[in-house]
Amino acid sequence: MSSQWIYLDNDFVKKEEALVSVFDHGFLYGDGVFEGIRAYSGNIFKLSEHLDRLYQSAQSIMLNIPYSKEEMEEIIIGTVRRNQLETAYIRVVVSRGTGNLGLDPVSCSKPSVIVIAESLSLFPEELYERGLKMGSVASRRNRPDVLSPQVKSLNYLNNILVKLEANQAGVDEALMLNDQGYVTEGSADNIFIVKNNKIFTPPVYLGALEGITRNAIIDIAPENGYQISEQPFTRHDVYTADEVFLTGTAVEVIAVIDVDGRKIGTGRPGEVTKHLLTAFRNAVMKDGVQCYPAEKADAV
Ligand code: PMP
């Protein structure tokens, strides 16, 4: 690609010129919200669900996004088109905007809206064939009554701290518990366990982001013959599961083959995980918004 175009406050600017102020409260305080979205062959998967979550995060922190959801959808589609992308990772950021050094958002007159779309280098297939190692970490998931994990805010330090712990421990991903010891999620992905062909994931009120891939799996699993339910569980349930897998926009569905040194199942990605990854990849074109409808019609 010759040049990457970034949407920044009503304009498309070149990557090198896409700069925000050091007085932006997104930078000074992590005051803002974001979404990570994915396009498959020009189809922006679950765009309306991502927009709903973005606007709910903003509503929760009293951040007034200066566009309607319809306008934001056009901006996102426009950014993908402008960069002539088909398979893309899209980052939408709305920060509180430029203010003074005090934390009070009242000094910020106008939120900043940024959309970045870039071509997505897929995770290597060998990672899906091998599976990930996970380790539980000392840091607990933010309590929902302190800073709700449902607010996808620019303050990701809770998640970054556990990622650092995972790196220190030499594992691929962190297993985050809540303050009562119940399993919540990974640093940036939701967790599922499989036992006797039944699938379980923690209810989000325990302290997990309501992931859009998670919800897609909750829909897809019964269509593929599996019982799935939201249920609290502990590390013991994870250690003794037949299969463990993670879901997220970037990683899709990926097996976990080792947790805290306990081999999960056979120590190789299991059949249910593999089946759900295939079913998920078959579903990604069926739900979303197509960026290039005219070209599609021409091609038929
Ligand atoms: N949990 C956290 C903390 C995340 O940041 C993400 C990534 N957005 C997920 C779960 C997975 O959510 P989704 O499937 O919507 O990408």
Side-chain angles (χ1 to χ4, degrees):
M1 194 195 307
S2 53
S3 178
Q4 189 179 357
W5 292 96
I6 313 288
Y7 181 88
L8 173 61
D9 292 334
N10 266 329
D11 233 339
F12 282 110
V13 294
K14 289 201 175 135
K15 182 179 178 177
E16 306 74 49
E17 287 148 26
L19 305 172
V20 291
S21 166
V22 293
F23 287 93
D24 190 303
H25 280 211
F27 176 70
L28 286 175
Y29 291 110
D31 184 357
V33 295
F34 78 101
E35 274 300 315
I37 313 174
R38 186 163 169 157
Y40 292 86
S41 307
N43 184 57
I44 307 183
F45 181 58
K46 301 260 185 198
L47 179 55
S48 85
E49 285 81 350
H50 281 284
L51 286 171
D52 287 347
R53 192 169 67 182
L54 181 73
Y55 279 73
Q56 280 170 23
S57 294
Q59 158 81 5
S60 185
I61 67 163
M62 295 180 88
L63 176 64
N64 198 5
I65 300 179
Y67 304 111
S68 66
K69 277 189 201 169
E70 291 71 28
E71 288 168 332
M72 195 60 123
E73 181 172 315
E74 284 308 311
I75 291 168
I76 293 169
I77 292 170
T79 310
V80 175
R81 283 192 187 150
R82 182 78 188 228
N83 289 287
Q84 297 173 0
L85 292 167
E86 296 266 332
T87 294
Y89 182 80
I90 304 160
R91 175 60 56 93
V92 181
V93 180
V94 184
S95 79
R96 190 76 66 180
T98 305
N100 61 29
L101 287 180
L103 67 78
D104 192 341
V106 93
S107 73
C108 307
S109 54
K110 181 168 79 45
S112 267
V113 178
I114 296 157
V115 182
I116 305 167
E118 51 189 29
S119 74
L120 184 70
S121 43
L122 297 168
F123 285 86
E125 207 49 44
E126 91 188 36
L127 211 64
Y128 292 91
E129 279 154 28
R130 174 173 65 86
L132 303 180
K133 287 189 175 185
M134 225 180 169
S136 53
V137 290
S139 304
R140 297 300 168 110
R141 186 67 172 114
N142 282 334
R143 280 173 52 138
D145 58 340
V146 178
L147 176 56
S148 173
Q150 303 319 325
V151 180
K152 203 162 163 53
S153 83
L154 296 180
N155 184 336
Y156 247 51
L157 272 178
N158 186 212
N159 313 66
I160 290 165
L161 286 174
V162 300
K163 191 71 194 170
L164 287 171
E165 284 194 59
N167 291 349
Q168 290 297 311
V171 293
D172 303 299
E173 180 54 300
L175 174 63
M176 257 201 286
L177 312 178
N178 70 8
D179 63 340
Q180 294 192 310
Y182 286 104
V183 170
T184 61
E185 58 180 339
S187 68
D189 28 54
N190 292 106
I191 187 167
F192 292 74
I193 60 173
V194 184
K195 233 172 194 172
N196 301 324
N197 259 3
K198 292 190 183 130
I199 308 170
F200 304 94
T201 194
V204 290
Y205 64 77
L206 289 180
L209 177 72
E210 188 171 349
I212 286 162
T213 321
R214 167 193 188 273
N215 287 353
I217 290 299
I218 289 175
D219 290 342
I220 288 168
E223 292 163 15
N224 286 275
Y226 299 108
Q227 266 187 44
I228 187 161
S229 58
E230 297 173 65
Q231 200 169 291
F233 53 82
T234 64
R235 280 191 299 180
H236 168 80
D237 303 304
V238 178
Y239 296 157
T240 57
D242 302 328
E243 298 181 33
V244 176
F245 63 89
L246 302 174
T247 65
T249 294
V251 83
E252 301 178 302
V253 177
I254 194 157
V256 175
I257 46 135
D258 185 291
V259 180
D260 293 338
R262 279 78 162 177
K263 188 167 81 172
I264 304 300
T266 59
R268 298 186 46 78
E271 291 310 313
V272 178
T273 305
K274 286 196 269 187
H275 186 183
L276 287 174
L277 174 61
T278 306
F280 177 79
R281 285 183 171 163
N282 286 336
V284 292
M285 293 303 291
K286 292 182 199 136
D287 201 341
V289 176
Q290 178 53 246
C291 293
Y292 306 101
E295 282 83 340
K296 272 235 136 180
D298 287 350
V300 176

